[in-house]
Every structure is written in C-alpha cells, then in structure tokens.
Amino acid sequence: MTTTIDRERDLAVDELVRFPDVDLPDSAVDLRRQVRVFLDEERRRGTVMGRPDSWLSGWDRGFSERLAGRGWVGMALPTRYGGSGAGPIARYVVIEELLAAGAPVSAHWVSDRQAGISILGHGTDEQRETFLPAIAAGRCFFSIGMSESESGSDLASVQTRADEVDGGWKMNGTKMWTGGAHLNDYAIVLARTSDHENRHDGLTQFLVDLRAPGVRVEGIELLTGEHRFNAVHLEDVFVPDNRVLGNEGDGWKQVTGELAFERSGPERFLSTLPVLESLLGVLAAQSNTDHQLAVVGTLTARLVALRALSLGVASALQAGESPDVQAAMVKDLGTRFEGDLVEQVREISPVAPAISATIGTHPELLAFALLHTPGYTLRGGTNEILRGIITKEVTAR
Ligand SMILES: Cc1cc2nc3c(=O)[nH]c(=O)nc-3n(C[C@H](O)[C@H](O)[C@H](O)COP(=O)(O)OP(=O)(O)OC[C@H]3O[C@@H](n4cnc5c(N)ncnc54)[C@H](O)[C@@H]3O)c2cc1C
C-alpha cells in the first residue's frame, strides 16, 4: 500500500532528479552558426586539429584570445568585469561546438568554467577587477590545485598547509595531476590553514601565482608521452593576504561549489566525439555491415540522450538552481559513454589503431583516444564518488 509519506518521498526524489526540457532559443541557432564560421576560419589557420580531449590537450593562447575577442570566453561573467553576461545556455552552445570540433580550448578552459565564477562569487573587489577582465579577454589562465598524491577522492585530507606570516601566508606541500600548471598563470590551491576535529573546517583557497619563488612544477608523462599534468611542489611559497580567495576556513564550502561547475558541462560526454566523426568519414567511403551501422546508431542515440540531460543541467544553472545530483548523474553516464565510444569505434573500425605523433588520421586518433581512456572516469571526481553523492542525496529524502 502506498502511503502519503511514500508519495511525498517519491515527489521529493522526482524533484531531485528533474531534468528540464530545453528548447534552445532562436538566438542559439544564430550563435551556433557564428561559432561554426569562426571554427572554419580557425581550421584554415591550422589551429583546429579535430583531436579528442581538446579541452585538456589543446593549449593555444592565440586561439583563446581570438575566441575571447568574439565575446565567447567569460560568457558567465557580467559585462562590468569584461564578460558577456550571456549566461549558461549561450555558453553551452559555444562550448559544445568547440568540443565537437576538437578545438584547442584548454588554455582558458578552467578560468572560463570555474575560476572566474569562483572569483566572482568569493573574491574581493580588487581580485575581481584584477582577474575577471583578464580571464574574459582570454589572457589569464588558471589550473586546479586540489588533488594530492594521498588526497583525491578524500579531498578534505589535503596535506598542503598555509601558515600565517607577516603580510600573508607561507605555503608548503605538493599538488598532483595539476593540469596545465607548466603553462598557466595561476592555480586555485586548497590548503589547510588550521586543524579541527571536523576535517572540513580549517581549509582555505588561495590564488597562487605559478611563477612565484618556491613554486616548482614537475611534469608527469602520460601514456602517450604528452606533458599535460604536473606535480606542483610548493616550498615556502609566500602568498600575500590579498590572494586569499573568500574567507579563511571556508575552503571546503567553496571548493564543493567549484566542483559543481567542474562536473556539470558537456566536456563530460563530448571528449571523444571527434573519434566518432572520423569513423563516419571512414565508413562513408565503403559499404558497411549491419553491425557497424547498429553500433553507430546506438552511440548516436546515447549521445542525443546525454545531450538532452546535460542541457537540462545547464538550464537549471541558468535558473539559479544547484543541480548537483543531476550533474553527477550526467557525468557518471557521460564519462562511461566517452570510454564506450572509443572501445566500440575500435571494434567496428576497418583499420587498426596506430600510434603516431601527428594524430590526424582515423587510426592515429583512435590510438590517441584509447591511451587516454583510463582518465575519463577518474578526472573531476571518480564515478564511484559521484554515485555516492547521488545515493546520499536520494536516500536523504
Ligand atoms: C586526466 C586527469 C586530470 C586531472 N586533473 C586534475 C587537476 O587539474 N587538478 C587536480 O587537483 N586534480 C586533477 N586530477 C585528479 C583527480 O581529481 C583525482 O584523480 C580523482 O579525484 C581521484 O583521486 P585519486 O586519483 O587520488 O584516487 P583515489 O581517491 O585514491 O581512488 C582510487 C579508487 O578508489 C575509489 N574510491 C575512493 N574512495 C572511495 C569511496 N569512498 N567509495 C567508493 N570508492 C572509492 C575511487 O573511485 C577510485 O576508483 C586529475 C585526474 C586525472 C585522471
């Protein structure tokens, strides 16, 4: 027998996992067309290589500046700080086009997706005026300084410490897997500033200049031989008081808010789309088996469904909601899709993957994506952690 309590609980869970239907406005069609024209121009320049994972591997300062020149970096920032104030749905249209094309967006990716929003939300006026116009101009690039070798999923266990000194803080510790730290300008570093029984207390975020004395960036080589990630050693690094982000001790609350932006975007299911595109080019040149067509059809159906869910998350963000559970669901489904896509494309490809430095042909793209597959379900929070978040929220209703 269904009781009133059961019905109320069902309604509460329905609300928690609601994905609004989104009809993109006419302005989005026009915007998409403009982005495609821009991308065609960039293809002619030779900057858009159509590679998978371009939001992590395609670091191109010139591309970021030109994109910003069109008003397509900092779209979530208000015009007062150099942004376009266009909001999450317009930004979504722009970034899905960039990701699908495999455009080199990694220089400004973190600044645009989360650092600017964190500074807007928690920063001082001076920090907003210093960083936000530079971010929106595609000229100030941030890395994420959260993880450490013993603190990934259990982020509250970070060992990096900042101790108060005259005029600021002295920071010591090592951040791991810090994407782009060898190229970027700043990292938002999560550090412990005081000890408490509750480990979520006493953490603070800092805007750390990656060129400051005492910062040593050591590259980590990926399976492909690429250098994207780093261990960032912080040895007595002085961080002035005006580079504390938000309130001292509020780091946990701030970092979880930042993770919501880190986890909710279309890069969590579109990273490997260029591999499907390149397969379609190969298949178009020959007759295809029913199995090949069925695999392409199934992947496309999953992609369309994921896009609808992901747009629902963007629309909830636009409405000022915090769709953390929906974002966790889309990231769990989306990152599994990214890996499945690569594996299934490999299975039906008429040609074998081939490792090469050029990464232009289908076999080369496939090999490149296969070597990156282990990371899809780890980065930005593992799928087990995401499922924990979903379960906790659903059972709390
Ligand atoms: C490609 C890539 C890019 C990255 N970029 C950055 C970056 O720029 N900046 C940054 O700060 N970090 C970055 N990271 C780090 C990333 O956030 C961590 O790898 C991730 O949070 C997992 O932490 P860990 O590697 O320490 O694994 P662990 O936390 O040690 O987890 C190991 C395994 O145990 C499982 N596990 C752990 N705890 C639980 C639990 N409570 N319940 C169930 N299962 C659990 C995990 O799911 C995982 O399978 C990146 C990682 C990758 C792979």
Side-chain angles (χ1 to χ4, degrees), residues 76-394:
L77 299 176
T79 49
R80 174 172 172 215
Y81 294 115
S84 73
I89 291 287
R91 178 174 178 270
Y92 192 99
V93 168
V94 171
I95 63 175
E96 74 171 348
E97 286 299 323
L98 297 170
L99 294 166
V105 290
S106 79
H108 66 269
W109 194 259
V110 169
S111 300
D112 177 64
R113 179 182 67 187
Q114 63 199 79
I117 291 170
S118 290
I119 293 169
L120 180 68
H122 308 298
T124 60
D125 286 344
E126 183 271 332
Q127 289 170 350
R128 291 181 185 154
E129 269 148 30
T130 303
F131 291 104
L132 299 186
I135 286 175
R139 286 201 303 267
C140 180
F141 307 132
F142 271 83
S143 290
I144 303 168
M146 295 185 196
S147 307
E148 299 178 7
S149 58
E150 301 301 324
S151 302
S153 303
D154 183 18
L155 193 55
S157 66
V158 290
Q159 298 294 307
T160 295
R161 284 200 75 93
D163 295 307
E164 207 158 6
V165 293
D166 199 17
W169 301 78
K170 192 170 69 177
M171 188 175 278
N172 281 285
T174 296
K175 291 292 169 183
M176 278 299 265
W177 316 119
T178 320
H182 55 307
L183 299 165
N184 292 341
D185 306 303
Y186 283 84
I188 300 189
V189 171
L190 181 69
R192 181 153 292 287
T193 43
S194 56
D195 298 296
H196 302 265
E197 207 173 311
N198 180 353
R199 293 177 315 150
H200 296 162
D201 294 337
L203 294 166
T204 303
Q205 286 190 304
F206 295 86
L207 305 170
V208 175
D209 180 348
L210 288 167
R211 310 276 174 278
V215 177
R216 188 163 55 84
V217 179
E218 183 190 357
I220 299 172
E221 200 173 288
L222 294 184
L223 287 173
T224 52
E226 290 164 279
H227 176 191
R228 291 186 190 176
F229 298 101
N230 304 279
V232 177
H233 305 285
L234 302 153
E235 290 150 4
D236 283 343
V237 177
F238 175 73
V239 186
D241 277 329
N242 67 359
R243 291 296 168 259
V244 172
L245 178 63
N247 294 323
E248 188 206 330
D250 276 355
W252 183 255
K253 196 172 69 187
Q254 292 174 202
V255 92
T256 47
E258 195 182 324
L259 280 170
F261 286 95
E262 184 175 345
R263 290 174 174 164
S264 59
E267 70 272 33
R268 302 303 180 180
F269 68 95
L270 285 178
S271 303
T272 56
L273 190 66
V275 182
L276 182 60
E277 292 242 21
S278 79
L279 172 77
L280 295 181
V282 172
L283 294 186
Q286 59 177 59
S287 60
N288 309 128
T289 65
D290 287 349
H291 179 58
Q292 284 172 321
L293 296 176
V295 169
V296 170
T298 308
L299 287 172
T300 307
R302 285 177 71 183
L303 177 67
V304 170
L306 277 164
R307 179 169 182 264
L309 295 175
S310 171
L311 264 170
V313 173
S315 138
L317 283 172
Q318 176 126 323
E321 298 166 21
S322 305
D324 299 347
V325 172
Q326 293 95 321
M329 288 176 168
V330 177
K331 184 171 181 292
D332 177 36
L333 293 168
T335 54
R336 278 192 278 156
F337 170 75
E338 291 179 323
D340 291 351
L341 185 154
V342 177
E343 184 48 32
Q344 290 174 21
V345 167
R346 184 198 62 74
E347 192 223 330
I348 62 165
S349 278
V351 284
I355 296 176
S356 143
T358 50
I359 323 169
T361 65
H362 178 66
E364 290 165 354
L365 284 173
L366 191 50
F368 182 80
L370 276 166
L371 291 173
H372 282 289
T373 298
Y376 301 143
T377 55
L378 292 175
R379 57 196 189 192
T382 70
N383 288 33
E384 289 76 19
I385 294 303
L386 297 171
R387 288 175 212 153
I389 292 171
I390 298 163
T391 308
K392 207 163 133 196
E393 289 297 324
V394 169

